[in-house]
């Protein structure tokens, strides 16, 4: 039996013992005596009687252990030409002062703070400062527009927002502050105060009495000590796209999260004190939360915060330059980033320009890893390339090849095997497990392991309805797939209306809501179609109202502009076609899946329930890839 099988079996047969051992990696102000509270079966709580502080675990305890002079954070920003290193002692001091500044604005245990920042040190510092106070942060990705930010402010009822004057994209400066001002104007529950990082590239106009300068506030603040909180208290809310337009507030607790992060660093990513981990994901996404900020620091490793792109800052060698400059041991990114690099450097000339001796493995997640990208990376880098499958909801891998436990033989197209703690089953529509090799719904047998979501923010009902009600005793991932005869997992894609655009998770439902709001639109559908760089991109189809006086190209341009304004540039919504009708079932359901398959160049069977097959015939030339 190999180490993986041993760990998996123990986690399955003795979860309390397994996770109690894993919990030893954490410093508790009150150690857990009970590991798992299953009194409410759908709402498992991990370490219910324990107390800790996550920021003390990520920072202070490494300083206390004599590692204050070791580098904790490397900020590497090709868009501003800056590299800055923070030792554990410096980062602890900065976080303590940021916590003091937030406390001076009235933030305390349980209060929510929205963080809307580009990839600058203040993002990491403000997340950890909230954790230090026992406050709950909610980071909003900078590519989202004001309306999305306002929706998150309202749902979280945030007391304070931390933001910056601007972000820097390769071709333009993105003014964040006007977007924040607009969101505050739109919000029903406007925050009481903001803390703004003024960047020299574009300074923001401040509202007296409400907006506070980050540097001044930190300089004036008294360092705040870590506040012990219950392991079950929320550490953060991270909103993610569901099938409807309303984002879901994924809750992460403090104790289970810390334990899962520490376990995964050692056993999946093989990172420990002194190692350098670089997760090249924006902190606005789950990968950024878990593997740019929390897990490396909890493990006492160095983390890299990169404000740049895989290509264009300045070229497709940027990732290998960072690896070489900072001695990165493990790089984690999305397949789309590797596709972008490969497109510009197919022969790997820029890869060879840099010393990559430190790099032990490349981890890829966030979307399906297509075989050509996998093969290029393996051939060009000559190191293990490890696909891992997970979701914002779980916060850490469900399926991976566990580098720390010893790599298993990879299989093309599979992220490999379920990680200990996750009981992966594939079910048919009646909820019965299907035989190996048969497709079905990928589900996780309850309870979910530590670190996975305990519920949705202030919405237990929606949590149950979204994830737990389809099959009794199981969590529904929303992905379809199958297990092979050896238990390798194959993920085939979402079975709902969630799409993945350049590794960014988006809801076609929210885009449809924007299209439907246009006065000339009678009906609409948005589907995710295959794209060689971004994996998927959204395409819209609209039917105009009878008598509407608007040219199709004018309407299309207006709709593209509205999606950008309401959801944000990250939606990459660039194409909408005006069509005479949409294909529907006799009960009126739009055949989105059939449309998507045709747009992807496939020839799906026409569903027998179709109301009028002629509608599909008319659509074919528009749908088919050119
Ligand atoms: N703030 C403001 N705007 C942002 C932004 C941010 N933080 N991030 C992206 N945007 C904007 C971009 O400027 C772009 O706007 P444009 O339409 O005016 O050009 C739009 O949102 C789309 O951005 P992006 O998805 O980055 O596409 P791209 O074409 O600029 O770059 C890739 C393509 C593949 C290089 C890029 O998507 C990438 O690096 N993806 C990796 C994603 C990732 O790591 N995901 C995390 C999950 S593991
Ligand atoms: P997110 O919540 O943004 O992490 O997106 C989660 C979704 O991305 C999953 O439900 C999958 O559809 C998809 N996904 C993530 N990782 C993988 C992977 N390794 N292989 C296939 N799909 C993936």
């Amino acid at each position: 039996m190999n180490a993986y099988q041993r760990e998996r079996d123990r986690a399955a047969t003795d979860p309390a013992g397994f996770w109690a051992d894993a919990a030893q990696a954490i410093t508790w102000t009150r150690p857990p005596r009970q590991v798992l509270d299953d009194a409410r079966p759908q709402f498992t709580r991990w370490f219910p009687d324990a107390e800790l502080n996550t920021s003390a675990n990520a920072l202070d305890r490494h300083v206390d252990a004599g590692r204050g002079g070791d580098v904790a954070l490397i900020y590497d920003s090709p868009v501003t030409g800056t590299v800055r290193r923070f030792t554990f002692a410096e980062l602890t001091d900065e976080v303590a002062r940021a916590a003091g500044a937030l406390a001076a604005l009235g933030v305390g245990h349980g209060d929510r703070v929205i963080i809307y920042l580009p990839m600058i040190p203040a993002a990491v510092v403000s997340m950890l400062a909230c954790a230090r106070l026992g406050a709950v942060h909610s980071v909003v990705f900078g590519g989202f527009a004001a309306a999305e930010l306002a929706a998150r402010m309202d749902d979280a009822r945030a007391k304070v927002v931390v933001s910056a004057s601007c972000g820097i994209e390769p071709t333009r400066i993105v003014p964040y502050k006007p977007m924040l001002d607009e969101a505050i104007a739109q919000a029903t529950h406007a925050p009481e105060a903001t803390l703004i990082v003024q960047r020299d590239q574009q300074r923001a106009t401040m509202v007296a009495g409400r907006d506070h300068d980050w540097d001044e506030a930190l300089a004036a603040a008294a360092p705040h000590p870590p506040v012990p909180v219950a392991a079950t208290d929320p550490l953060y809310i991270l909103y993610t796209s569901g099938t409807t337009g309303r984002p879901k507030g994924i809750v992460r607790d403090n104790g289970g999260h810390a334990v899962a992060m520490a376990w995964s660093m050692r056993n999946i990513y093989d990172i420990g004190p002194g190692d350098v981990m670089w997760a090249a994901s924006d902190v606005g996404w789950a990968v950024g939360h878990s593997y740019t900020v929390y897990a490396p620091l909890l493990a006492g490793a160095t983390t890299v915060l990169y404000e740049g792109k895989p290509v264009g800052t300045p070229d497709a060698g940027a990732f290998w330059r960072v690896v070489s400059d900072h001695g990165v041991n493990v790089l984690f990114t999305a397949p789309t980033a590797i596709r972008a690099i490969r497109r510009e450097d197919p022969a790997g000339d820029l890869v060879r320009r840099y010393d990559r001796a430190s790099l032990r493995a490349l981890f890829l997640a966030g979307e399906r890893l297509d075989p050509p990208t996998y093969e290029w990376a393996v051939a060009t880098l000559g190191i293990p390339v490890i696909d891992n499958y997970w979701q914002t909801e779980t916060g850490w891998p469900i399926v991976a090849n566990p580098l720390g436990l010893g790599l298993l033989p990879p299989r093309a197209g599979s992220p490999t095997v379920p990680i200990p703690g996750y009981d992966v089953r594939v079910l048919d529509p009646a909820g019965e497990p299907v035989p190996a090799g048969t497709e079905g719904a990928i589900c996780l047998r309850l309870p979910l392991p530590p670190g996975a979501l305990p519920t949705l923010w202030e919405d237990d009902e929606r949590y149950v309805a979204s994830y737990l009600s389809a099959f009794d005793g199981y969590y529904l991932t929303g992905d379809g797939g199958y297990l092979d005869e050896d238990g390798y997992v194959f993920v085939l894609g979402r079975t709902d209306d969630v799409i993945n655009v350049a590794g960014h998770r988006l809801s076609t439902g929210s885009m449809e809501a924007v299209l439907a709001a246009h006065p000339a639109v009678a009906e609409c559908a948005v589907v995710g179609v295959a794209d060689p760089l971004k994996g998927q991109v959204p395409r819209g189809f609209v039917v105009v109202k009878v008598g509407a006086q608007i040219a199709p190209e004018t309407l299309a341009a207006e709709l593209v502009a509205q999606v950008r304004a309401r959801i944000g540039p990250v939606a990459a919504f660039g194409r909408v076609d005006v069509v005479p009708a949409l294909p529907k079932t006799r009960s009126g359901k739009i055949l989105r899946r059939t449309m998507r398959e045709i747009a992807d160049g496939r020839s799906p069977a026409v569903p027998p329930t179709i109301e009028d097959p002629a509608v599909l015939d008319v659509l074919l030339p528009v749908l088919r890839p050119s």
Side-chain angles (χ1 to χ4, degrees):
M1 197 188 273
N2 60 34
Y4 162 71
Q5 285 162 339
R6 252 198 331 273
E7 295 291 300
R8 185 199 56 195
D9 291 353
R10 172 138 195 258
T13 53
D14 176 21
F18 181 90
W19 291 112
D21 284 354
Q24 310 259 346
I26 296 305
T27 301
W28 305 87
T29 46
R30 187 178 146 146
R33 272 173 302 172
Q34 189 183 358
V35 175
L36 174 107
D37 172 6
D38 233 349
R40 284 173 76 205
Q42 293 185 311
F43 296 91
T44 303
R45 287 150 34 106
W46 291 94
F47 313 110
D49 56 8
E51 281 184 6
L52 77 162
N53 181 279
T54 296
S55 101
N57 272 277
L59 300 169
D60 307 57
R61 67 168 169 158
H62 305 308
V63 178
D64 296 344
R67 298 191 53 234
D70 292 359
V71 176
L73 173 70
I74 301 170
Y75 165 59
D76 185 308
S77 168
V79 294
T80 58
T82 315
V83 174
R84 199 175 152 199
R85 291 178 175 76
F86 297 76
T87 63
F88 276 101
E90 287 164 346
L91 193 59
T92 306
D93 179 56
E94 186 92 353
V95 167
R97 282 186 299 114
L102 286 168
L105 293 174
V107 175
H109 183 196
D111 289 331
R112 275 81 57 205
V113 174
I114 295 256
I115 298 174
Y116 185 61
L117 280 171
M119 291 287 280
I120 57 176
V124 179
V125 169
S126 54
M127 288 166 79
L128 289 162
C130 290
R132 198 167 191 83
L133 294 171
V136 182
H137 63 69
S138 186
V139 183
V140 180
F141 175 60
F144 281 123
E148 294 285 327
L149 180 55
R152 287 155 174 79
M153 281 176 188
D154 282 344
D155 194 74
R157 283 173 290 110
K159 201 164 194 177
V160 169
V161 178
V162 184
S163 190
S165 54
C166 66
I168 303 158
E169 285 291 288
T171 54
R172 68 200 157 101
I173 294 203
V174 182
Y176 273 46
K177 180 64 171 31
M179 216 116 67
L180 172 62
D181 291 340
E182 201 184 318
I184 291 176
Q186 284 177 21
T188 315
H189 295 281
E192 292 161 18
T194 76
L195 264 181
I196 306 293
V197 179
Q198 287 281 19
R199 304 188 80 186
D200 292 337
Q201 289 77 8
Q202 188 175 98
R203 296 182 74 79
T205 312
M206 306 286 265
V207 174
R210 184 196 76 186
D211 298 337
H212 305 265
D213 181 281
W214 168 269
D215 287 335
E216 287 169 14
L218 261 68
H224 204 292
V227 175
V229 299
T232 51
D233 279 347
L235 169 68
Y236 67 77
I237 308 166
L238 180 53
Y239 287 91
T240 192
S241 301
T243 44
T244 68
R246 200 160 62 90
K248 293 173 178 166
I250 306 300
V251 174
R252 196 83 60 216
D253 67 10
N254 274 273
H257 171 256
V259 172
M261 290 296 101
W263 190 91
S264 69
M265 270 287 98
R266 173 56 71 207
N267 295 288
I268 303 178
Y269 299 96
D270 196 20
I271 287 284
D275 288 333
V276 181
M277 169 97 183
W278 176 26
S281 160
D282 194 281
V283 290
W285 306 111
V287 175
H289 278 63
S290 294
Y291 295 108
T292 310
V293 181
Y294 285 110
L297 296 176
L298 285 165
T302 305
T303 187
V304 179
L305 184 77
Y306 175 69
E307 188 182 25
K309 299 267 174 173
V311 294
T313 57
D315 59 28
F319 272 26
W320 323 122
R321 194 271 301 160
V322 173
V323 165
S324 160
D325 284 358
H326 307 308
V328 171
N329 300 120
V330 164
L331 168 59
F332 185 165
T333 187
T336 188
I338 302 297
R339 286 197 295 272
I341 291 170
R342 177 183 169 214
R343 197 165 71 166
E344 295 201 3
D345 184 26
D349 296 331
L350 293 169
V351 181
R352 282 186 293 277
R353 191 176 290 173
Y354 297 95
D355 175 7
R356 288 168 291 105
S358 61
L359 194 62
R360 299 196 288 254
L362 169 65
F363 281 85
L364 297 171
E367 53 168 332
R368 180 175 163 266
L369 174 54
D370 53 292
T373 303
Y374 171 76
E375 278 148 24
W376 181 86
V378 170
T380 313
L381 297 172
I383 52 170
V385 174
I386 302 173
D387 187 5
N388 54 130
Y389 160 68
W390 48 294
Q391 313 183 303
T392 306
E393 286 84 346
T394 63
W396 63 290
I398 304 166
V399 178
N401 202 344
L403 182 63
L405 291 172
L407 284 181
L408 303 173
R411 281 190 193 170
S414 168
T416 318
V417 289
I419 287 302
Y422 288 99
D423 186 352
V424 178
R425 308 282 177 98
V426 177
L427 305 182
D428 70 13
E432 293 301 321
V434 297
T438 306
E439 276 178 42
I442 299 181
C443 296
L444 308 175
R445 185 118 186 89
L446 297 178
L448 297 176
L453 80 169
T455 189
L456 294 178
W457 176 248
E458 293 189 331
D459 207 344
D460 285 353
E461 234 171 78
R462 191 176 180 203
Y463 170 59
V464 172
S466 305
Y467 302 105
L468 308 183
S469 61
F471 303 114
D472 197 26
Y474 292 92
Y475 165 91
L476 184 74
T477 62
D479 286 301
Y482 63 93
L483 293 163
D484 75 6
E485 59 289 353
D486 298 315
Y488 279 60
V489 181
F490 289 77
V491 183
L492 297 173
R494 300 288 305 194
T495 53
D496 54 16
D497 296 328
V498 168
I499 59 171
N500 243 297
V501 179
H504 310 310
R505 176 165 157 184
L506 297 161
S507 153
T508 53
S510 65
M511 295 181 218
E512 287 182 0
V514 175
L515 304 190
H518 192 287
V521 170
E523 278 189 307
C524 65
V526 175
V527 296
V529 303
D531 180 82
L533 174 66
K534 298 197 174 190
Q536 279 186 306
V537 287
R539 264 188 75 181
F541 301 89
V542 296
V543 178
V544 292
K545 281 183 185 156
V546 178
Q549 300 294 322
I550 186 163
E553 51 284 6
T554 310
L555 176 59
E558 283 181 21
L559 294 173
V560 166
Q562 276 171 18
V563 172
R564 193 176 169 93
R566 296 271 300 280
I567 297 176
V570 68
F573 185 81
R575 179 161 175 195
V576 52
D577 289 287
V578 178
V579 295
L582 292 169
K584 287 185 195 160
T585 61
R586 282 189 284 275
S587 60
K589 198 169 172 294
I590 297 172
L591 292 166
R592 292 182 179 80
R593 185 171 173 173
T594 309
M595 292 171 70
R596 188 178 71 213
E597 289 178 353
I598 297 170
D600 283 351
R602 284 178 276 166
S603 307
V606 176
T609 51
I610 192 164
E611 185 188 31
D612 180 2
V615 171
L616 205 52
D617 294 339
V618 174
L619 264 186
L620 279 181
V622 183
L623 276 170
R624 283 221 173 99
S626 37

